[in-house]
Amino acid sequence: MKKSLLVISFLLLMCSCGWAQSYDSLLTQLNNVLDKKQDYDAGKLNRIEQLKKELTNADNPDLNLKYRVFLNLYNEYKSFNYDEAFNYAQKLQQVGHLLNDPEKIAYSRIKLGFILLSSGMFKETFDSLKTVNVKLLDNEARKEYYYLTARTYYDLADFDKDNYYTPIYNSRAEKYIDSANSLSKSSSFEYIYYNGLKFLKSGSIDKAISNLKLLIDKYKLTDHQFAVTSSTLSDIYIRNNHPEKAIALLIQAAIADVKSSTKEAAAMTTLAQLLHQRGDVKNAYMYIKQAMNDAVYYGARQRKIQVGAILPIIAGEQISYVEQQRKVLFFYASLLTVLAIIVVVFAVIIYKQLQKLKLADKVILEANHNLQESINKLNEADKIKEEYIGYYFNLIAEYINKLDKFKRSVDNKLTTKRYDDIRLLVNNINLTKEREELFINFDKAFLKIFPNFVADYNALFCEENRVKLLPNQLLNTDLRIFALVRLGISDTEKIAHILEYSVNTIYNYKARIKGKSNISNDEFEHKIMAIKAI
């Protein structure tokens, strides 16, 4: 049994080395690019900062300037950070409505559709695209709409993988591609790429490969275009059992993604899977961790789930590989005991090797522990995000309804020239009551996520200094300050703005509260952050 284990381990090692040689130089390039990843991201963030300054530096920027800057910010964020891209897609719609420009509104909904599709939200994508009046769009925007709709149907077909629905979705996608191609030049990237995609989905593999290779070999593509084309071509090679070609393309696609600071990308994940299948566990583990970091940074839940499903498998293989190495070393140790003369020498060697293995085990266990903590934090963050997104959407909807009623009432009174009634209507607006209702709604939403917050907070104080709430009171100002801290809002200025206090007042509140607690001031907020959600 031990001999068989030794032979299998040796063969796996040799095969792994042989496979790695064919793309070793490309892996070296990828690793070098990953070392500079922060520099590429810094360049992206610098461009974003310059765009934001463009609005800040402008004197009373008009709505058209805002729309243009918001669109540029959306384009920077769309494959970089889901939440920010979604935010600017919403802002584009808001500015479009303020401009009363139907074309801009329609175009902003296309942009919203793209970011929703990137996060795997098919229903929401279709809902957004269905509201687009295509007749309002110019040719470029119309072409973008058709290509995006085609991609949505293709992605949905791939997601279903169903003998009934998949052909239907593929057929619809082809029709949209044909509509988009009728507006495109036959020599353009989009025309050739989407024709290749259509060939792929219809089973014309040779034509699909021809189109995609034409783009790679003959066209000067942007990093993002190259990554998309290479990833698509690699998928064909995977399906046709040519993993070496697929790996080479995926490495190049991953390099392009890193250079373009594209966080919403599947190339790194697929590359890790293929390397894992080929026995290159070390590189597979390194790249799947990179993919997880990008997925967490990008923030789309679907992407995190996809990568999270693969990472434990590869991490487990990494642990198994180390364990297998240990067994091989023990086998050698048992053989070496026969050689009495060199027992001491080999004993020292084995001891050193075991120390290295223990260190490796410790690193892996720490990595797994950190990974689990990251997953727990992500789950908690997702829950908080989901609860508060729903809470704020409901709250906004309520205020919109109130504004609508107010608008209709004012319109009626203006029509009937009852101006005194309008003044009375305005004077009846009770901002203090509205703010109190806002705090009550915040308290309810927060305590739904952290039902034990008040009890855990009071546990940090002696009996006489604990918070004693009034009947029907959910939170008071002291609790709200540190409720915001628990939600991740650590900036005192932001807390002051939310609670309608001065910054100095918030500082005084914090200092007074921490001074009464049973723990040091430095540890107080760490204890608050340790309070668990349900």
Side-chain angles (χ1 to χ4, degrees), residues 396-463:
I396 290 168
E398 290 178 7
Y399 278 112
I400 289 174
N401 288 335
K402 287 183 181 179
L403 287 172
D404 185 54
K405 291 178 182 178
F406 181 84
K407 178 179 177 297
R408 287 201 302 268
S409 179
V410 171
D411 284 341
N412 290 336
K413 289 176 172 42
L414 285 173
T415 301
T416 57
K417 299 183 178 180
R418 293 157 59 192
Y419 302 116
D420 290 339
D421 289 348
I422 295 174
R423 183 177 294 106
L424 180 61
L425 187 64
V426 172
N427 291 335
N428 283 337
I429 297 174
N430 190 339
L431 294 179
T432 301
K433 182 179 179 182
E434 293 292 334
R435 187 174 293 109
E436 289 174 355
E437 289 183 3
L438 177 64
F439 287 153
I440 290 171
N441 287 329
F442 169 83
D443 297 348
K444 289 179 179 177
F446 179 82
L447 290 176
K448 184 177 178 182
I449 302 172
F450 298 93
N452 301 320
F453 181 79
V454 176
D456 292 344
Y457 175 92
N458 275 335
L460 304 177
F461 300 87
C462 58
E463 181 63 32

Side-chain angles (χ1 to χ4, degrees), residues 253-485:
I255 291 172
D257 284 333
V258 175
K259 288 183 176 179
S260 60
S261 292
T262 299
K263 307 294 184 183
E264 193 283 311
M268 193 76 78
T269 304
T270 308
L271 174 61
Q273 287 179 282
L274 287 181
L275 292 176
H276 171 247
Q277 292 169 9
R278 308 291 281 180
D280 189 353
V281 179
K282 178 182 176 181
N283 282 318
Y285 184 61
M286 178 172 62
Y287 297 143
I288 198 65
K289 286 199 299 182
Q290 287 286 342
M292 175 56 83
N293 291 339
D294 286 344
V296 171
Y297 189 94
Y298 184 69
R301 190 173 182 182
Q302 180 74 8
R303 179 65 65 196
K304 288 185 282 187
I305 292 172
Q306 289 172 349
V307 180
I310 302 166
L311 193 149
I313 298 172
I314 297 178
E317 289 286 341
Q318 177 75 351
I319 295 171
S320 297
Y321 175 75
V322 173
E323 185 64 26
Q324 189 180 50
Q325 290 287 74
R326 180 188 299 181
K327 291 178 180 178
V328 171
L329 287 172
F330 275 123
F331 171 71
Y332 276 117
S334 65
L335 291 178
L336 291 173
T337 55
V338 180
L339 306 175
I341 300 175
I342 55 174
V343 162
V344 176
V345 175
F346 277 96
V348 173
I349 295 173
I350 293 169
Y351 174 79
K352 290 181 179 180
Q353 293 297 323
L354 287 175
Q355 290 299 107
K356 290 179 180 179
L357 285 171
K358 287 180 181 178
L359 181 61
D361 283 345
K362 183 179 179 181
V363 170
I364 292 171
L365 290 173
E366 288 178 353
N368 285 338
H369 177 71
N370 292 336
L371 175 62
Q372 187 60 49
E373 286 186 350
S374 298
I375 291 172
N376 291 338
K377 289 179 181 178
L378 285 172
N379 290 335
E380 181 181 88
D382 281 343
K383 181 171 181 62
I384 292 172
K385 186 184 296 182
E386 287 171 2
E387 289 289 343
Y388 273 95
I389 286 175
Y391 156 66
Y392 280 110
F393 268 118
N394 289 333
L395 190 63
I396 290 168
E398 290 178 7
Y399 278 112
I400 289 174
N401 288 335
K402 287 183 181 179
L403 287 172
D404 185 54
K405 291 178 182 178
F406 181 84
K407 178 179 177 297
R408 287 201 302 268
S409 179
V410 171
D411 284 341
N412 290 336
K413 289 176 172 42
L414 285 173
T415 301
T416 57
K417 299 183 178 180
R418 293 157 59 192
Y419 302 116
D420 290 339
D421 289 348
I422 295 174
R423 183 177 294 106
L424 180 61
L425 187 64
V426 172
N427 291 335
N428 283 337
I429 297 174
N430 190 339
L431 294 179
T432 301
K433 182 179 179 182
E434 293 292 334
R435 187 174 293 109
E436 289 174 355
E437 289 183 3
L438 177 64
F439 287 153
I440 290 171
N441 287 329
F442 169 83
D443 297 348
K444 289 179 179 177
F446 179 82
L447 290 176
K448 184 177 178 182
I449 302 172
F450 298 93
N452 301 320
F453 181 79
V454 176
D456 292 344
Y457 175 92
N458 275 335
L460 304 177
F461 300 87
C462 58
E463 181 63 32
E464 62 268 23
N465 291 325
R466 290 176 180 172
V467 172
K468 296 177 178 60
L469 296 172
L470 299 174
N472 299 323
Q473 187 180 22
L474 299 176
L475 299 176
N476 62 10
T477 301
D478 292 5
L479 292 169
R480 284 196 195 102
I481 290 172
F482 287 98
L484 291 170
V485 171

Side-chain angles (χ1 to χ4, degrees), residues 173-183 195 198:
E174 289 180 7
K175 292 177 182 178
Y176 279 102
I177 287 179
D178 291 339
S179 297
N181 284 345
S182 68
L183 302 172
N195 258 350
K198 187 171 73 170

Side-chain angles (χ1 to χ4, degrees), residues 5 26 34 48 70 83 123 154 201 218 256 295 297 323 328 379 444 480 512:
L5 181 63
L26 284 174
L34 285 172
I48 289 171
F70 288 162
D83 288 336
K123 178 185 179 300
Y154 276 144
K201 300 299 182 180
K218 302 296 183 181
Y297 189 94
E323 185 64 26
V328 171
N379 290 335
K444 289 179 179 177
R480 284 196 195 102
R512 175 178 57 79

Side-chain angles (χ1 to χ4, degrees), residues 492-494 496-497 501-509:
T492 303
E493 187 173 349
K494 289 183 180 178
H497 179 72
Y501 287 109
S502 69
V503 174
N504 286 337
T505 300
I506 298 299
Y507 274 122
N508 291 337
Y509 265 99

Side-chain angles (χ1 to χ4, degrees), residues 12-181:
L12 284 174
L13 181 62
M14 294 303 295
C15 290
S16 176
C17 292
W19 291 328
Q21 286 176 355
S22 60
Y23 44 79
D24 185 63
S25 60
L26 284 174
L27 287 175
T28 301
Q29 291 179 39
L30 174 56
N31 293 336
N32 290 338
V33 169
L34 285 172
D35 289 339
K36 301 176 182 177
K37 187 176 183 180
Q38 289 186 344
D39 296 335
Y40 294 119
D41 288 351
K44 166 78 77 173
L45 293 171
N46 182 58
R47 292 194 299 273
I48 289 171
E49 187 62 28
Q50 292 303 315
L51 286 170
K52 291 180 178 179
K53 285 182 179 179
E54 190 173 341
L55 282 180
T56 305
N57 295 336
D59 295 330
N60 298 320
D62 61 29
L63 292 175
N64 284 302
L65 174 61
K66 284 187 175 181
Y67 188 90
R68 179 179 62 79
V69 175
F70 288 162
L71 181 58
N72 289 335
L73 284 166
Y74 167 86
N75 288 329
E76 291 289 348
Y77 276 122
K78 67 180 182 180
S79 295
F80 185 65
N81 185 288
Y82 169 79
D83 288 336
E84 291 293 340
F86 183 88
N87 176 43
Y88 281 105
Q90 296 287 67
K91 287 186 177 182
L92 285 173
Q93 291 193 65
Q94 293 168 7
V95 175
H97 282 290
L98 291 173
L99 287 168
N100 196 23
D101 188 332
E103 183 177 358
K104 283 185 169 59
I105 295 170
Y107 190 60
S108 65
R109 287 172 180 167
I110 296 174
K111 297 301 185 184
L112 178 61
F114 177 89
I115 195 65
L116 291 172
L117 178 61
S118 298
S119 67
M121 301 168 69
F122 295 112
K123 178 185 179 300
E124 291 79 0
T125 302
F126 281 118
D127 288 344
S128 181
L129 294 178
K130 283 178 182 177
T131 63
V132 176
N133 187 346
V134 182
K135 295 179 181 179
L136 298 174
L137 303 173
D138 59 26
N139 283 347
E140 283 300 313
R142 190 176 303 181
K143 180 175 63 175
E144 186 175 339
Y145 169 82
Y146 288 141
Y147 280 135
L148 177 59
T149 307
R151 181 191 154 189
T152 305
Y153 275 115
Y154 276 144
D155 286 1
L156 183 56
D158 288 340
F159 179 81
D160 285 354
K161 292 183 179 178
D162 175 82
N163 291 331
Y164 179 80
Y165 289 104
T166 294
I168 295 175
Y169 294 145
N170 283 337
S171 176
R172 291 179 184 175
E174 289 180 7
K175 292 177 182 178
Y176 279 102
I177 287 179
D178 291 339
S179 297
N181 284 345

